[in-house]
Structures are given as structure tokens and as C-alpha cells.
Amino acid sequence: MVSESDVRSWSENEIGALSAKVVALKASMAKVIIGQENVIDSLIICLLAGGHALVEGVPGLGKTLLVKSLAQATDMQFRRVQFTPDLMPSDIVGTEILEEDHATRKREFRFQQGPVFTQVLLADEINRAPPKTQSALLEAMQERSVTFAGQTHMLPRPFFVLATQNPIEQAGTYPLPEAQLDRFLLRIDVVYPTEEEEIAMISATTHAGLADAEPVMDVATLLRLQLLVRDIEIGDHLLKYATRLVRATRPAITEVASVKKHVGWGAGPRAGQALVLASKARALMHNRLAVTRDDIAAMLLPVLAHRVLRNFEAEADGVAIADILTALREHVRPD
């Protein structure tokens, strides 16, 4: 457990300044993204925790604008890759090209970096690409590096991937395997806006259009924030609570009836790590230096939604993963 003295090793002035930057980041994005407050919060939490996000939503809900505004507000380099069935791993990570020195006429291979060498990468419709290409990106996400022809090339820091999936078009797609889904810290669902938000969105985009997000944070500040998240305090009882929630998703050992009946495969230990880290980042977003039970409860669905697999009976009965996790949260209580 992180002790209170670890947090106190940061000066009050620095903590206050860093917290103010988080508030400014959210405000800057909110000027561009109309509504979707929960989505913005989840995206910032994922960034502060140093993870990657899997976003699901129908076309036209502003997913590209969302991640682009995040890159603009944090002054990070942004690239977008549209995943297609003919996309090759070299189209993502890069390849070697043969170059000739004009002076010596000597030829040698040089590694040409692919679009993954950026700080914010939007992997649009990741499930459109074949498994080999998906794996190339997910390896880079996990290792923060690319190995080509025996040479290891480090990726920039920070490195944040936001991958999108379209939930209504599954024909001709290659669904991500469970082991690869586990590499994403959060799954964020983008839903339709309210009527008022949609009116404001249509009005703004059919007049002068939306302005870019104002840069309010630099990379050095973001890296300091990611370090501070790691030092946020979590009590032993809450650490145990998070672990018990994850373990209760496993049908073989759970006491939750809904999990026994409707879950085919539960979450692994990486889910516990993700739940604690995301809860710490949420605590910091709310200007707190310690995790509360509410933080863990709030992050339960986005952390576990893509890690807990429903069985055929759940699909046949129309039981959603949110229903299962709600029953789990009601059954498992902190000490």
C-alpha cells in the first residue's frame, strides 16, 4: 500500500498546480466536445493512469474529435490510422527501406518509423484489420517499443492509444481476442447526446464550426501527473475490496448468482491493477489524494466491461454485462 507520507513528499504547491491543470484540461475539451461529460472524464482518467482506451459507439458521435481535442489540449503529437482488412503490420509500426549514400554510393537499410511513433494514436475501427495487424499495435501498446529486424525502437512518452469499435457493423470484422482486450485499461461507451446537446452541436457545427481545443498542459506536466496518480493513497481495506470484486467475476469461485449463471470467463489479475489505477486517477480528478469506495464503484464498469465474458445463456436471456456487474457490486461489500 502507498503510505500517506508518499503523497506528502509532493509539495502542496505542486499538487495544487497539477490539480488545476486537470481542471483546465477538462474545461478545454468541453469547449469543443458538446456534452459527453462522462466520456471526457473517462478519457482523462485513462490518460492520467497511463493506460489505453477502447471506445465503442455508432458513427457520427465525435469519437475522432474527442481524441483529437485531447491531443490539442495536452500539446501532444496526434496521428490517426483507419484500420482496413488490407492493412499490414508494417503500415503501423514501420519498415526498412534501402538507401544509397550519394557520396560513397554505399547502400544500407534504414528503419522508417510508422504512425505508431506518436504520442496520441487514434486506431479507428481496430476490429476491421486482421489479427496479425491488431497484434502489431497491441504489442507496441504493452511494451512501449517496436522491435524490427532485431533492433528495438522506443516509442515516445507519453504514448496513448484510443481504439474505436463500431458495435453495429460486425460483418467482415475481426473481433479482438480476450487476451488483447485485456491490454486496454478502460472500455468507454459513447452514447447518443440529449436533445439539448444535439441542438447545440448542430448549431455550432453548421455556423462557423468548432474551434480547436486550447493547449493547457504540456507533456512534462502530464508525465508528472501520471507519477502523482501512482502515489495517490489507497487503504488496505479498499485494496482488498477491489481484489475481491475482480475475483468475484470468476464463475468457478464466485458466490454471486448472476456471475455463476451468466459469465463464461472472469477477469484476470490485470483487471485488479487497472481498477486500482483508474480509481486513483479518478480520485485525483476530484481533487482528492486518497481513493474512496465511490471511486472503485464508479470505475468498475469501464474496467471490467471488456474483461468479463458473458456465456451463451446470458446472450439468450438478454442479460447485459452492466446488469451482471451491478449485481456483483451489490453483493460484494468492503470490510
Short mmCIF file of all heavy atoms in Angstrom, two decimals, residues 185-238:
data_model
loop_
_atom_site.label_atom_id
_atom_site.label_comp_id
_atom_site.label_asym_id
_atom_site.label_seq_id
_atom_site.Cartn_x
_atom_site.Cartn_y
_atom_site.Cartn_z
N LEU A 185 -6.98 -0.37 -20.69
CA LEU A 185 -7.31 -0.06 -19.30
C LEU A 185 -8.81 0.08 -19.12
O LEU A 185 -9.40 -0.47 -18.19
CB LEU A 185 -6.61 1.24 -18.87
CG LEU A 185 -6.78 1.61 -17.40
CD1 LEU A 185 -5.82 0.81 -16.54
CD2 LEU A 185 -6.55 3.10 -17.18
N LEU A 186 -9.45 0.84 -20.04
CA LEU A 186 -10.89 1.11 -19.92
C LEU A 186 -11.59 0.85 -21.24
O LEU A 186 -11.00 1.03 -22.32
CB LEU A 186 -11.15 2.57 -19.53
CG LEU A 186 -10.55 3.11 -18.24
CD1 LEU A 186 -10.97 4.57 -18.05
CD2 LEU A 186 -10.95 2.29 -17.04
N ARG A 187 -12.85 0.45 -21.15
CA ARG A 187 -13.74 0.49 -22.30
C ARG A 187 -14.74 1.61 -22.06
O ARG A 187 -15.44 1.63 -21.05
CB ARG A 187 -14.50 -0.82 -22.50
CG ARG A 187 -15.15 -0.91 -23.88
CD ARG A 187 -16.16 -2.02 -23.98
NE ARG A 187 -17.46 -1.63 -23.46
CZ ARG A 187 -18.54 -2.43 -23.43
NH1 ARG A 187 -18.44 -3.66 -23.87
NH2 ARG A 187 -19.69 -2.00 -22.94
N ILE A 188 -14.80 2.53 -23.01
CA ILE A 188 -15.64 3.72 -22.86
C ILE A 188 -16.76 3.65 -23.90
O ILE A 188 -16.49 3.53 -25.10
CB ILE A 188 -14.83 5.01 -23.05
CG1 ILE A 188 -13.65 5.04 -22.07
CG2 ILE A 188 -15.70 6.23 -22.89
CD1 ILE A 188 -12.67 6.18 -22.32
N ASP A 189 -18.01 3.69 -23.45
CA ASP A 189 -19.15 3.67 -24.36
C ASP A 189 -19.61 5.10 -24.63
O ASP A 189 -19.91 5.86 -23.70
CB ASP A 189 -20.31 2.87 -23.75
CG ASP A 189 -19.98 1.39 -23.65
OD1 ASP A 189 -19.30 0.87 -24.56
OD2 ASP A 189 -20.39 0.75 -22.66
N VAL A 190 -19.65 5.47 -25.91
CA VAL A 190 -20.12 6.79 -26.32
C VAL A 190 -21.58 6.65 -26.75
O VAL A 190 -21.88 5.92 -27.70
CB VAL A 190 -19.27 7.36 -27.47
CG1 VAL A 190 -19.75 8.77 -27.84
CG2 VAL A 190 -17.80 7.39 -27.09
N VAL A 191 -22.47 7.31 -26.05
CA VAL A 191 -23.91 7.18 -26.30
C VAL A 191 -24.43 8.41 -27.04
O VAL A 191 -23.73 9.42 -27.19
CB VAL A 191 -24.67 6.99 -24.98
CG1 VAL A 191 -24.21 5.71 -24.29
CG2 VAL A 191 -24.47 8.19 -24.04
N TYR A 192 -25.67 8.33 -27.49
CA TYR A 192 -26.27 9.45 -28.18
C TYR A 192 -26.41 10.65 -27.24
O TYR A 192 -26.65 10.48 -26.04
CB TYR A 192 -27.67 9.08 -28.69
CG TYR A 192 -27.66 8.15 -29.88
CD1 TYR A 192 -28.10 6.83 -29.77
CD2 TYR A 192 -27.23 8.59 -31.13
CE1 TYR A 192 -28.11 5.98 -30.86
CE2 TYR A 192 -27.24 7.74 -32.23
CZ TYR A 192 -27.67 6.45 -32.09
OH TYR A 192 -27.67 5.60 -33.18
N PRO A 193 -26.27 11.88 -27.76
CA PRO A 193 -26.44 13.06 -26.91
C PRO A 193 -27.90 13.30 -26.57
O PRO A 193 -28.80 12.74 -27.20
CB PRO A 193 -25.89 14.20 -27.79
CG PRO A 193 -26.12 13.72 -29.19
CD PRO A 193 -25.93 12.23 -29.15
N THR A 194 -28.13 14.12 -25.55
CA THR A 194 -29.50 14.54 -25.23
C THR A 194 -30.01 15.48 -26.32
O THR A 194 -29.24 15.95 -27.18
CB THR A 194 -29.56 15.26 -23.88
OG1 THR A 194 -28.80 16.49 -23.98
CG2 THR A 194 -28.97 14.40 -22.76
N GLU A 195 -31.30 15.77 -26.31
CA GLU A 195 -31.86 16.64 -27.34
C GLU A 195 -31.23 18.03 -27.29
O GLU A 195 -30.87 18.61 -28.32
CB GLU A 195 -33.38 16.77 -27.14
CG GLU A 195 -34.04 17.64 -28.21
CD GLU A 195 -35.55 17.71 -28.07
OE1 GLU A 195 -36.10 17.04 -27.17
OE2 GLU A 195 -36.20 18.44 -28.85
N GLU A 196 -31.04 18.56 -26.08
CA GLU A 196 -30.44 19.90 -25.94
C GLU A 196 -29.00 19.90 -26.44
O GLU A 196 -28.57 20.84 -27.12
CB GLU A 196 -30.49 20.35 -24.47
CG GLU A 196 -31.88 20.62 -23.92
CD GLU A 196 -32.64 19.34 -23.59
OE1 GLU A 196 -31.99 18.25 -23.54
OE2 GLU A 196 -33.87 19.42 -23.40
N GLU A 197 -28.25 18.85 -26.10
CA GLU A 197 -26.87 18.75 -26.56
C GLU A 197 -26.80 18.62 -28.08
O GLU A 197 -25.93 19.22 -28.73
CB GLU A 197 -26.18 17.56 -25.90
CG GLU A 197 -25.95 17.72 -24.40
CD GLU A 197 -25.52 16.44 -23.73
OE1 GLU A 197 -25.58 15.37 -24.38
OE2 GLU A 197 -25.12 16.48 -22.55
N GLU A 198 -27.72 17.86 -28.65
CA GLU A 198 -27.70 17.67 -30.10
C GLU A 198 -28.04 18.96 -30.84
O GLU A 198 -27.45 19.26 -31.88
CB GLU A 198 -28.67 16.55 -30.49
CG GLU A 198 -28.46 16.04 -31.89
CD GLU A 198 -29.07 14.67 -32.11
OE1 GLU A 198 -29.55 14.05 -31.14
OE2 GLU A 198 -29.07 14.21 -33.27
N ILE A 199 -28.98 19.74 -30.30
CA ILE A 199 -29.31 21.03 -30.90
C ILE A 199 -28.10 21.95 -30.86
O ILE A 199 -27.75 22.60 -31.86
CB ILE A 199 -30.51 21.68 -30.16
CG1 ILE A 199 -31.79 20.89 -30.43
CG2 ILE A 199 -30.68 23.14 -30.58
CD1 ILE A 199 -32.97 21.33 -29.59
N ALA A 200 -27.42 22.01 -29.70
CA ALA A 200 -26.24 22.85 -29.56
C ALA A 200 -25.12 22.40 -30.50
O ALA A 200 -24.41 23.22 -31.09
CB ALA A 200 -25.75 22.84 -28.11
N MET A 201 -24.97 21.07 -30.66
CA MET A 201 -23.94 20.53 -31.53
C MET A 201 -24.20 20.89 -32.99
O MET A 201 -23.29 21.34 -33.71
CB MET A 201 -23.90 19.00 -31.36
CG MET A 201 -22.79 18.30 -32.12
SD MET A 201 -22.96 16.49 -31.98
CE MET A 201 -23.02 16.29 -30.21
N ILE A 202 -25.44 20.71 -33.43
CA ILE A 202 -25.78 21.02 -34.82
C ILE A 202 -25.64 22.52 -35.08
O ILE A 202 -25.12 22.94 -36.13
CB ILE A 202 -27.21 20.54 -35.13
CG1 ILE A 202 -27.26 19.01 -35.08
CG2 ILE A 202 -27.67 21.05 -36.50
CD1 ILE A 202 -28.66 18.44 -35.18
N SER A 203 -26.06 23.33 -34.12
CA SER A 203 -25.94 24.78 -34.28
C SER A 203 -24.49 25.21 -34.40
O SER A 203 -24.13 26.01 -35.27
CB SER A 203 -26.60 25.49 -33.09
OG SER A 203 -26.41 26.88 -33.16
N ALA A 204 -23.63 24.66 -33.54
CA ALA A 204 -22.22 25.06 -33.53
C ALA A 204 -21.49 24.63 -34.78
O ALA A 204 -20.66 25.37 -35.32
CB ALA A 204 -21.52 24.49 -32.29
N THR A 205 -21.79 23.45 -35.27
CA THR A 205 -21.03 22.91 -36.41
C THR A 205 -21.56 23.37 -37.76
O THR A 205 -20.90 23.16 -38.79
CB THR A 205 -21.04 21.37 -36.38
OG1 THR A 205 -22.40 20.91 -36.32
CG2 THR A 205 -20.29 20.86 -35.16
N THR A 206 -22.74 24.00 -37.80
CA THR A 206 -23.27 24.48 -39.09
C THR A 206 -23.16 25.99 -39.23
O THR A 206 -23.65 26.56 -40.19
CB THR A 206 -24.75 24.06 -39.25
OG1 THR A 206 -25.51 24.51 -38.13
CG2 THR A 206 -24.87 22.54 -39.38
N HIS A 207 -22.54 26.64 -38.25
CA HIS A 207 -22.25 28.07 -38.37
C HIS A 207 -20.75 28.22 -38.68
O HIS A 207 -20.29 27.82 -39.72
CB HIS A 207 -22.64 28.82 -37.09
CG HIS A 207 -24.11 29.05 -36.97
ND1 HIS A 207 -24.98 28.08 -36.55
CD2 HIS A 207 -24.87 30.15 -37.24
CE1 HIS A 207 -26.23 28.56 -36.55
NE2 HIS A 207 -26.18 29.82 -36.98
N ALA A 208 -20.03 28.78 -37.78
CA ALA A 208 -18.59 28.97 -38.01
C ALA A 208 -17.80 27.70 -37.79
O ALA A 208 -16.65 27.59 -38.21
CB ALA A 208 -18.07 30.08 -37.09
N GLY A 209 -18.42 26.71 -37.12
CA GLY A 209 -17.70 25.48 -36.81
C GLY A 209 -17.01 25.58 -35.46
O GLY A 209 -16.88 26.65 -34.89
N LEU A 210 -16.57 24.43 -34.96
CA LEU A 210 -15.92 24.39 -33.65
C LEU A 210 -14.45 24.76 -33.76
O LEU A 210 -13.76 24.36 -34.70
CB LEU A 210 -16.05 22.99 -33.05
CG LEU A 210 -17.47 22.54 -32.69
CD1 LEU A 210 -17.46 21.07 -32.28
CD2 LEU A 210 -18.06 23.39 -31.57
N ALA A 211 -13.96 25.51 -32.79
CA ALA A 211 -12.54 25.87 -32.74
C ALA A 211 -11.75 24.70 -32.17
O ALA A 211 -12.30 23.77 -31.58
CB ALA A 211 -12.34 27.10 -31.89
N ASP A 212 -10.44 24.74 -32.36
CA ASP A 212 -9.58 23.72 -31.78
C ASP A 212 -9.52 23.89 -30.27
O ASP A 212 -9.74 24.99 -29.74
CB ASP A 212 -8.17 23.82 -32.36
CG ASP A 212 -8.12 23.41 -33.82
OD1 ASP A 212 -9.05 22.72 -34.28
OD2 ASP A 212 -7.15 23.79 -34.50
N ALA A 213 -9.20 22.80 -29.57
CA ALA A 213 -9.04 22.87 -28.12
C ALA A 213 -7.78 23.68 -27.80
O ALA A 213 -6.75 23.56 -28.47
CB ALA A 213 -8.92 21.47 -27.53
N GLU A 214 -7.88 24.49 -26.78
CA GLU A 214 -6.75 25.34 -26.38
C GLU A 214 -5.73 24.52 -25.60
O GLU A 214 -6.08 23.80 -24.66
CB GLU A 214 -7.25 26.49 -25.52
CG GLU A 214 -6.15 27.40 -24.99
CD GLU A 214 -6.68 28.42 -23.99
OE1 GLU A 214 -7.90 28.44 -23.76
OE2 GLU A 214 -5.86 29.17 -23.45
N PRO A 215 -4.45 24.58 -25.97
CA PRO A 215 -3.42 23.85 -25.20
C PRO A 215 -3.33 24.40 -23.78
O PRO A 215 -3.10 25.59 -23.58
CB PRO A 215 -2.13 24.13 -25.98
CG PRO A 215 -2.57 24.56 -27.34
CD PRO A 215 -3.88 25.26 -27.14
N VAL A 216 -3.52 23.55 -22.80
CA VAL A 216 -3.50 23.98 -21.39
C VAL A 216 -2.51 23.17 -20.57
O VAL A 216 -2.34 23.41 -19.38
CB VAL A 216 -4.90 23.88 -20.76
CG1 VAL A 216 -5.87 24.85 -21.41
CG2 VAL A 216 -5.44 22.45 -20.84
N MET A 217 -1.85 22.19 -21.20
CA MET A 217 -0.95 21.31 -20.46
C MET A 217 0.16 20.85 -21.40
O MET A 217 -0.12 20.56 -22.56
CB MET A 217 -1.72 20.09 -19.93
CG MET A 217 -0.90 19.13 -19.09
SD MET A 217 -1.85 17.63 -18.65
CE MET A 217 -3.19 18.32 -17.69
N ASP A 218 1.39 20.81 -20.91
CA ASP A 218 2.47 20.29 -21.74
C ASP A 218 2.79 18.86 -21.33
O ASP A 218 2.27 18.33 -20.34
CB ASP A 218 3.71 21.19 -21.66
CG ASP A 218 4.23 21.38 -20.24
OD1 ASP A 218 3.96 20.51 -19.38
OD2 ASP A 218 4.90 22.39 -19.97
N VAL A 219 3.67 18.23 -22.10
CA VAL A 219 3.99 16.83 -21.87
C VAL A 219 4.67 16.61 -20.53
O VAL A 219 4.38 15.63 -19.82
CB VAL A 219 4.88 16.30 -23.03
CG1 VAL A 219 5.44 14.93 -22.70
CG2 VAL A 219 4.08 16.24 -24.32
N ALA A 220 5.55 17.52 -20.13
CA ALA A 220 6.24 17.37 -18.84
C ALA A 220 5.24 17.37 -17.69
O ALA A 220 5.38 16.59 -16.74
CB ALA A 220 7.26 18.51 -18.66
N THR A 221 4.23 18.23 -17.77
CA THR A 221 3.20 18.27 -16.73
C THR A 221 2.40 16.99 -16.70
O THR A 221 2.08 16.45 -15.63
CB THR A 221 2.27 19.47 -16.96
OG1 THR A 221 3.03 20.68 -16.93
CG2 THR A 221 1.19 19.54 -15.89
N LEU A 222 2.06 16.47 -17.88
CA LEU A 222 1.30 15.22 -17.94
C LEU A 222 2.08 14.07 -17.32
O LEU A 222 1.53 13.26 -16.58
CB LEU A 222 0.95 14.91 -19.39
CG LEU A 222 0.24 13.57 -19.64
CD1 LEU A 222 -1.04 13.47 -18.82
CD2 LEU A 222 -0.06 13.39 -21.12
N LEU A 223 3.37 13.99 -17.60
CA LEU A 223 4.18 12.93 -17.02
C LEU A 223 4.26 13.04 -15.50
O LEU A 223 4.26 12.03 -14.79
CB LEU A 223 5.59 12.96 -17.63
CG LEU A 223 5.68 12.57 -19.11
CD1 LEU A 223 7.10 12.78 -19.64
CD2 LEU A 223 5.25 11.12 -19.33
N ARG A 224 4.30 14.28 -14.99
CA ARG A 224 4.28 14.48 -13.54
C ARG A 224 2.94 14.03 -12.95
O ARG A 224 2.89 13.43 -11.88
CB ARG A 224 4.53 15.95 -13.19
CG ARG A 224 5.94 16.44 -13.45
CD ARG A 224 6.95 15.78 -12.53
NE ARG A 224 6.83 16.21 -11.13
CZ ARG A 224 7.47 15.64 -10.12
NH1 ARG A 224 8.24 14.59 -10.33
NH2 ARG A 224 7.33 16.10 -8.89
N LEU A 225 1.87 14.32 -13.66
CA LEU A 225 0.54 13.88 -13.20
C LEU A 225 0.44 12.36 -13.16
O LEU A 225 -0.14 11.79 -12.22
CB LEU A 225 -0.53 14.45 -14.12
CG LEU A 225 -0.97 15.88 -13.82
CD1 LEU A 225 -1.72 16.49 -15.00
CD2 LEU A 225 -1.85 15.93 -12.57
N GLN A 226 1.01 11.70 -14.15
CA GLN A 226 0.99 10.24 -14.16
C GLN A 226 1.77 9.67 -12.99
O GLN A 226 1.39 8.63 -12.42
CB GLN A 226 1.52 9.72 -15.50
CG GLN A 226 0.59 9.99 -16.67
CD GLN A 226 1.12 9.47 -17.99
OE1 GLN A 226 2.31 9.18 -18.12
NE2 GLN A 226 0.26 9.35 -18.99
N LEU A 227 2.86 10.33 -12.60
CA LEU A 227 3.61 9.91 -11.41
C LEU A 227 2.80 10.14 -10.14
O LEU A 227 2.79 9.31 -9.22
CB LEU A 227 4.94 10.67 -11.33
CG LEU A 227 6.03 10.28 -12.32
CD1 LEU A 227 7.23 11.21 -12.16
CD2 LEU A 227 6.46 8.83 -12.12
N LEU A 228 2.11 11.28 -10.09
CA LEU A 228 1.31 11.60 -8.90
C LEU A 228 0.18 10.60 -8.71
O LEU A 228 -0.14 10.21 -7.58
CB LEU A 228 0.74 13.02 -9.02
CG LEU A 228 -0.14 13.51 -7.87
CD1 LEU A 228 0.61 13.43 -6.53
CD2 LEU A 228 -0.62 14.93 -8.12
N VAL A 229 -0.43 10.15 -9.80
CA VAL A 229 -1.51 9.16 -9.72
C VAL A 229 -1.01 7.91 -9.00
O VAL A 229 -1.71 7.34 -8.15
CB VAL A 229 -2.04 8.81 -11.12
CG1 VAL A 229 -2.88 7.54 -11.09
CG2 VAL A 229 -2.87 9.96 -11.67
N ARG A 230 0.19 7.48 -9.32
CA ARG A 230 0.75 6.28 -8.68
C ARG A 230 0.91 6.46 -7.17
O ARG A 230 0.90 5.47 -6.42
CB ARG A 230 2.11 5.96 -9.30
CG ARG A 230 2.06 5.60 -10.78
CD ARG A 230 1.77 4.15 -10.98
NE ARG A 230 1.64 3.78 -12.38
CZ ARG A 230 1.63 2.52 -12.81
NH1 ARG A 230 1.74 1.52 -11.96
NH2 ARG A 230 1.48 2.25 -14.09
N ASP A 231 1.08 7.70 -6.73
CA ASP A 231 1.30 7.98 -5.31
C ASP A 231 0.02 8.30 -4.54
O ASP A 231 0.09 8.58 -3.34
CB ASP A 231 2.29 9.14 -5.15
CG ASP A 231 3.73 8.71 -5.42
OD1 ASP A 231 3.96 7.49 -5.47
OD2 ASP A 231 4.59 9.58 -5.59
N ILE A 232 -1.12 8.29 -5.23
CA ILE A 232 -2.38 8.50 -4.52
C ILE A 232 -2.60 7.34 -3.55
O ILE A 232 -2.38 6.18 -3.87
CB ILE A 232 -3.56 8.60 -5.52
CG1 ILE A 232 -3.40 9.83 -6.42
CG2 ILE A 232 -4.89 8.64 -4.80
CD1 ILE A 232 -3.45 11.15 -5.69
N GLU A 233 -3.07 7.66 -2.36
CA GLU A 233 -3.21 6.64 -1.31
C GLU A 233 -4.45 5.79 -1.51
O GLU A 233 -5.50 6.28 -1.94
CB GLU A 233 -3.28 7.33 0.06
CG GLU A 233 -3.33 6.36 1.22
CD GLU A 233 -3.41 7.06 2.57
OE1 GLU A 233 -3.47 8.30 2.57
OE2 GLU A 233 -3.42 6.35 3.59
N ILE A 234 -4.33 4.51 -1.21
CA ILE A 234 -5.48 3.60 -1.16
C ILE A 234 -5.32 2.73 0.08
O ILE A 234 -4.26 2.12 0.31
CB ILE A 234 -5.60 2.75 -2.44
CG1 ILE A 234 -6.83 1.82 -2.33
CG2 ILE A 234 -4.34 1.98 -2.75
CD1 ILE A 234 -7.19 1.15 -3.65
N GLY A 235 -6.35 2.70 0.90
CA GLY A 235 -6.29 1.92 2.14
C GLY A 235 -6.28 0.43 1.88
O GLY A 235 -6.74 -0.05 0.83
N ASP A 236 -5.76 -0.31 2.84
CA ASP A 236 -5.71 -1.77 2.70
C ASP A 236 -7.09 -2.37 2.49
O ASP A 236 -7.26 -3.32 1.71
CB ASP A 236 -5.05 -2.39 3.94
CG ASP A 236 -3.54 -2.16 3.97
OD1 ASP A 236 -2.97 -1.91 2.89
OD2 ASP A 236 -2.96 -2.22 5.07
N HIS A 237 -8.10 -1.82 3.19
CA HIS A 237 -9.45 -2.38 3.06
C HIS A 237 -10.01 -2.14 1.66
O HIS A 237 -10.74 -3.00 1.13
CB HIS A 237 -10.37 -1.77 4.12
CG HIS A 237 -10.64 -0.31 3.96
ND1 HIS A 237 -9.65 0.66 4.08
CD2 HIS A 237 -11.79 0.36 3.66
CE1 HIS A 237 -10.19 1.86 3.88
NE2 HIS A 237 -11.47 1.70 3.62
N LEU A 238 -9.65 -1.02 1.02
CA LEU A 238 -10.13 -0.76 -0.34
C LEU A 238 -9.34 -1.55 -1.37
O LEU A 238 -9.88 -1.96 -2.40
CB LEU A 238 -10.06 0.73 -0.65
CG LEU A 238 -11.05 1.61 0.12
CD1 LEU A 238 -10.86 3.08 -0.23
CD2 LEU A 238 -12.49 1.18 -0.18
#
